[in-house]
Amino acid sequence: MVNGSHYTVWCVTGASLKVCPQGFSCCTVEMEDKLSQQSHAEIKAPVFRLSTNLQSTFKQRHDHFDKFFQELLKNSEVSLHNMFLRTYGMMYMENAELFKDFFVSLTRYYTSGSSAVNLSSMLSDFWADLLERMFRLVNVQYEFNDTYMECVSRHTDQLQPFGDVPRKLRIQITRAFVAARTFVRGLSLMPDVVNKVSTVSASPSCVRAAMKMLYCPYCSGQVALKPCQNYCLNVMRGCLANQADLDTEWNNFLDAMLGLAERLEGPFNFESVMDPIDVKISEAIMNMQENSMQVSQKVFQGCGTPKPNVAFRSTRSVRETGFTGRFRPYSPEARPTTAAGTSLDRLTVEVKKKLKHAKKFWSTLPETVCAGERIAPGDECWNGTAKSRYQSDVIGNGLANQVSNPDVEVDITKPDVVIRSQIAVLKDMTSRLKAAHSGNDNEISFDSEEEPSGDEESGSGCDSPSCSGDDIYFSIPLNPVTPQVNPVHRDKSAGVSSQGSMALALCGLALALLVPHLR
């Protein structure tokens, strides 16, 4: 009689078993069938545990990054809103929807990509809309109809009223957003791939080989005998042959994730783009204010020369009227923190460690399973037929190598469909990660030149000869449209029209926003 962990049986001679060695045996055919089911569960258990840990790890990392990026977007919007609202109150509120729509579009792009928002077009529209609003404010003595403003908007890029800020910000936003959302998508993909691959069913030949390795010692009366390590490796490499074929694309994917993580730490840092975006927009506003006369003259030359309104006291300058708004800029300490006070650098350092640790996960599963208490070292082990040294060579990983596996019959002509589909998924995601590493997201592209240093002066943003002197700015012929004159009725108690006050406040705002950062 033999006492095992699952059964207590009498050993008999001559049992006609299907899997275990014939002759003296403590098992019946019915017991073999039950032990086969048990062995199936036992080889799945360690693979399931390892896979579940991997899924949990990257599900958490995905949630941390996604929460961080979304909170950073929201905090940047709140920061700009509070800054502008404190500075000029209702004058900002009358134009607040422009900035609100800007952040809504950025958030939609982050969550849904270029299928929902064309990032390049959205940014162009934002600057064109801002130009239209500012152009009206700095030229309040005129009334511009829709046709005239369409003429202005069509030539925003040529006018470059905001200096080099739109171009630089477009490059920075594109790179940062493409990198951030692609990296988060990569993190979300990992648990899904691991789940699908780890649930692939074992083949009947794998189950038979596992039963022979795990329970035939029981049937021979050697309950405490454990399999030889090399024997275990051959069985598990046969059982996990298809999973091992995932390893090449898995490692390529992880390398691409690590490469993009480096970008997130450096030139594509989402945090460094979004945190000061309010200051960057204010810099653009100041550029427009400084160049408002030149911009207006070139617009009048190209779109039509307006007639001045004699009722408007155009001789009053910004210096004469002054700006009475009070502005207290945010200090770095005053900015709201995101994701429980963490930073992008900290998140990236942590996830890089996890990504490196996950490399070769599939090809090393047999070694991970065939270790510790599951195997017996040396020659005092079960080799599949007796307590003795295992003589066969250890075969390699992957489906192709199983043609010579001495312990598991594997049909190398029939790769697993689920795993092959996941290999294709990883290839596609790797391609997207590499594109994001270059700052591209399929439909989105931008200037290949390196971004100028942040210490450079923005200037007018135009270096061509056509920007100098009184030359007509537009490169295509335009049909002049004479705008209608808008008589300005001044409030006698205030001395300046409400529209004029808004223009002056806008100019003062730009200066107030930049002064603390130029000291």
Side-chain angles (χ1 to χ4, degrees), residues 58 61-62 64-66 69 110 175-190 253-265 268 344 347-353 355 429 432-433 436-437:
F58 287 102
R61 293 303 176 277
H62 165 269
H64 290 165
F65 270 89
D66 187 50
F69 288 140
Y110 169 75
R175 287 172 171 172
F177 272 76
V178 169
R181 74 176 306 272
T182 307
F183 191 78
V184 168
R185 287 181 66 192
L187 290 175
S188 69
L189 178 68
M190 294 181 70
F253 164 77
L254 292 177
D255 285 337
M257 286 288 288
L258 286 165
L260 192 55
E262 296 285 348
R263 291 292 209 187
L264 286 173
E265 289 179 313
F268 296 1
L344 182 58
L347 287 172
T348 306
V349 168
E350 292 174 353
V351 80
K352 282 167 64 178
K353 293 178 182 178
L355 290 168
M429 194 66 223
R432 294 176 183 274
L433 289 165
H437 188 271

Side-chain angles (χ1 to χ4, degrees), residues 128 147 149-158 303 476 478:
T147 302
M149 294 315 301
E150 286 175 5
C151 175
V152 176
S153 297
R154 282 198 305 270
H155 299 88
T156 303
D157 291 340
Q158 290 174 290
C303 295
I476 60 174
L478 301 170

Side-chain angles (χ1 to χ4, degrees), residues 257-321:
M257 286 288 288
L258 286 165
L260 192 55
E262 296 285 348
R263 291 292 209 187
L264 286 173
E265 289 179 313
F268 296 1
N269 191 301
F270 191 90
E271 192 171 17
S272 67
V273 171
M274 292 309 300
D275 225 17
I277 198 168
D278 46 9
V279 176
K280 294 176 182 179
I281 292 175
S282 73
E283 180 186 349
I285 293 172
M286 189 183 76
N287 286 336
M288 172 62 183
Q289 158 61 19
E290 290 179 343
N291 299 306
S292 61
M293 290 185 63
Q294 297 93 317
V295 171
S296 296
Q297 288 173 2
K298 290 174 180 178
V299 168
F300 297 157
Q301 289 174 352
C303 295
T305 304
K307 296 179 181 180
N309 178 16
V310 294
F312 183 77
R313 297 178 59 186
S314 58
T315 56
R316 295 177 66 89
S317 67
V318 173
R319 289 186 178 87
E320 290 172 337
T321 55

Side-chain angles (χ1 to χ4, degrees), residues 60-104:
Q60 290 177 357
R61 293 303 176 277
H62 165 269
D63 292 347
H64 290 165
F65 270 89
D66 187 50
K67 180 181 179 182
F68 178 84
F69 288 140
Q70 298 226 38
E71 284 190 5
L72 189 58
L73 267 168
K74 187 61 179 177
N75 287 346
S76 296
E77 180 181 4
V78 171
S79 177
L80 183 144
H81 174 79
N82 291 339
M83 184 183 296
F84 278 56
L85 182 60
R86 282 206 318 253
T87 304
Y88 57 140
M90 286 305 299
M91 290 182 291
Y92 160 68
M93 292 302 296
E94 291 172 358
N95 294 277
E97 80 279 358
L98 172 63
F99 302 97
K100 181 176 179 62
D101 291 344
F102 175 71
F103 282 101
V104 167

Side-chain angles (χ1 to χ4, degrees), residues 1-56:
M1 184 178 75
V2 176
N3 291 312
S5 59
H6 300 279
Y7 302 95
T8 300
V9 299
W10 292 94
C11 297
V12 296
T13 302
S16 55
L17 303 179
K18 298 177 182 179
V19 179
C20 295
Q22 301 292 320
F24 179 82
S25 177
C26 304
C27 297
T28 63
V29 175
E30 292 76 14
M31 290 177 61
E32 267 196 333
D33 292 338
K34 293 180 179 179
L35 290 172
S36 292
Q37 296 175 15
Q38 180 65 29
S39 63
H40 188 194
E42 289 206 19
I43 63 170
K44 284 183 65 176
V47 175
F48 178 78
R49 178 178 56 80
L50 293 167
S51 300
T52 300
N53 289 341
L54 192 63
Q55 290 179 62
S56 176

